[in-house]
Amino acid sequence: KILSSKEEEEEARRRELVERCFEEAVAAVAPPRACNGKYSQLWVGLARSREERGEMEAAGEAFRRGVATISKGPGGSSLALKEALCSDVYCEWAEMEIRHKRYTEALQLMRE
């Protein structure tokens, strides 16, 4: 479908709002309460929205930030919970790489 300049503008504005919403949610949410305790899904959602726009580097950065943030975790988070949430992010990240036929990158992620 070919978009008019007005439609392209509206689409860009919508994408910006989605991005801002994710960024604010990730920054503001109490991790144990997020997504029924699956804080990792906020980062996965942010990465997916970037992937859908063809922003692969930005999607990878969202995954990296997710792993780093979850690894630090809030006080009182168990190591097992942190590892499980990081595993969720790594698996989603590898799946994204596979969707884009970047098999070497996906394999490397699974080895981390």
Side-chain angles (χ1 to χ4, degrees):
K1 178 181 174 183
I2 298 174
L3 300 176
S4 69
S5 61
K6 184 177 180 179
E7 289 172 322
E8 286 177 3
E9 229 175 77
E10 184 62 32
E11 181 67 17
R13 190 170 30 254
R14 186 193 67 77
R15 284 192 310 257
E16 185 178 318
L17 287 171
V18 168
E19 183 82 9
R20 192 174 323 138
C21 178
F22 275 118
E23 290 285 350
E24 289 175 9
V26 167
V29 74
R33 294 184 179 169
C35 304
N36 294 321
K38 294 207 51 138
Y39 180 54
S40 57
Q41 292 307 302
L42 291 173
W43 292 102
V44 169
L46 176 59
R48 283 183 182 162
S49 74
R50 291 174 173 178
E51 177 191 5
E52 288 171 3
R53 292 194 311 267
E55 299 172 1
M56 294 297 292
E57 291 302 316
E61 180 59 28
F63 282 125
R64 273 188 287 285
R65 285 178 52 204
V67 169
T69 302
I70 292 166
S71 295
K72 291 177 191 171
S77 291
S78 72
L79 180 59
L81 175 61
K82 290 177 189 178
E83 288 176 347
L85 294 176
C86 284
S87 293
D88 289 346
V89 174
Y90 275 120
C91 288
E92 293 283 350
W93 192 355
E95 288 176 13
M96 179 190 76
E97 297 295 356
I98 290 168
R99 282 192 296 276
H100 294 276
K101 300 185 183 350
R102 296 170 47 154
Y103 305 114
T104 303
E105 290 85 347
L107 185 58
Q108 183 178 350
L109 286 166
M110 291 293 91
R111 290 179 175 155
E112 289 187 23

